Amino acid sequence: MQLLVGIVLIWRFASYIPAALSFLSQVYILVIRGTPIVVQVMFIYFAVPLIFGWRIEAVPAAIFTLVINSGAYIAEIVRGGLLSVPKGLKEAGQAMGLPFYKILAYIIGPVALRRMIPAMGNQCIISLKDSSLFIVIGVAELTRQGQEIIAGNFRAVEIWGAVAVIYLILTGIIALALKVVEHRTQIV
């Protein structure tokens, strides 16, 4: 009986589902973009176990935070990319009689993707650098390793220089890969 009531309610209010999902996604993006990633990781690592009684290890908490944080920014990148495509391309697809999913996959999507590539690459670099903030919950990432080495030998200049060079190499690899992808997706 409860299943039947649930199905009837979903069927009755099905037209409101897209608006509700849109509202929830806007709230998610607003909250995540409006709070620092350090606060987010502290909330996930310390507050969620208190609220729900779950034990969360440091590395999964850091990964989960990075995914949630990047997801909000990537959602806005995708939205901006899709909105940047001229309306005439959708209308051209409709004039050819294509269903919406084909218009999205073959006409709007490729154009929007080309426009999203630089912003997606920047988000990837930002996420790599933001990982250094997870030192606050004890994640043994590159910055933490540098601190531990410094504690043992007191050679801060050399160690922080090496950490900076490693970050530069990693971000350089991402930037180079981004340039290759941008070059391969150019409209000739």
Side-chain angles (χ1 to χ4, degrees):
M1 183 62 183
Q2 291 175 344
L3 179 62
L4 181 62
V5 170
I7 291 171
V8 168
L9 285 174
I10 289 174
W11 179 73
R12 171 64 178 98
F13 294 105
S15 63
Y16 297 109
I17 291 173
L21 291 175
S22 176
F23 175 76
L24 289 174
S25 64
Q26 289 174 20
V27 169
Y28 158 71
I29 291 167
L30 178 71
V31 169
I32 297 301
R33 289 176 61 201
T35 56
I37 194 168
V38 173
V39 172
Q40 294 166 13
V41 75
M42 297 287 249
F43 182 82
I44 289 170
Y45 188 65
F46 293 114
V48 168
L50 290 174
I51 295 169
F52 298 106
W54 302 333
R55 171 81 174 114
I56 302 174
E57 297 296 323
V59 173
I63 292 169
F64 187 63
T65 303
L66 205 54
V67 167
I68 287 174
N69 185 276
S70 295
Y73 287 95
I74 289 171
E76 284 297 292
I77 291 168
V78 170
R79 187 181 70 81
L82 291 172
L83 290 176
S84 73
V85 176
K87 186 179 176 184
L89 289 178
K90 179 183 175 189
E91 293 169 351
Q94 288 172 331
M96 292 187 332
L98 294 174
F100 181 71
Y101 75 92
K102 285 190 176 183
I103 295 170
L104 189 59
Y106 299 117
I107 299 172
I108 296 173
V111 174
L113 181 63
R114 286 185 196 104
R115 294 176 180 191
M116 288 185 255
I117 290 171
M120 289 287 198
N122 287 338
Q123 184 57 42
C124 188
I125 290 170
I126 289 168
S127 294
L128 172 68
K129 294 190 305 182
D130 279 352
S131 70
S132 68
L133 298 172
F134 299 138
I135 196 170
V136 298
I137 61 169
V139 174
E141 45 69 60
L142 185 58
T143 307
R144 172 82 180 231
Q145 295 297 333
Q147 278 187 333
E148 289 177 5
I149 294 169
I150 290 169
N153 66 16
F154 303 106
R155 299 182 75 175
V157 174
E158 295 92 340
I159 302 303
W160 287 129
V163 168
V165 167
I166 292 170
Y167 272 116
L168 282 170
I169 290 169
L170 292 173
T171 58
I173 290 169
I174 293 170
L176 183 62
L178 177 63
K179 288 292 181 193
V180 169
V181 171
E182 282 181 16
H183 180 71
R184 292 183 139 228
T185 60
Q186 280 182 346
I187 300 173
V188 183

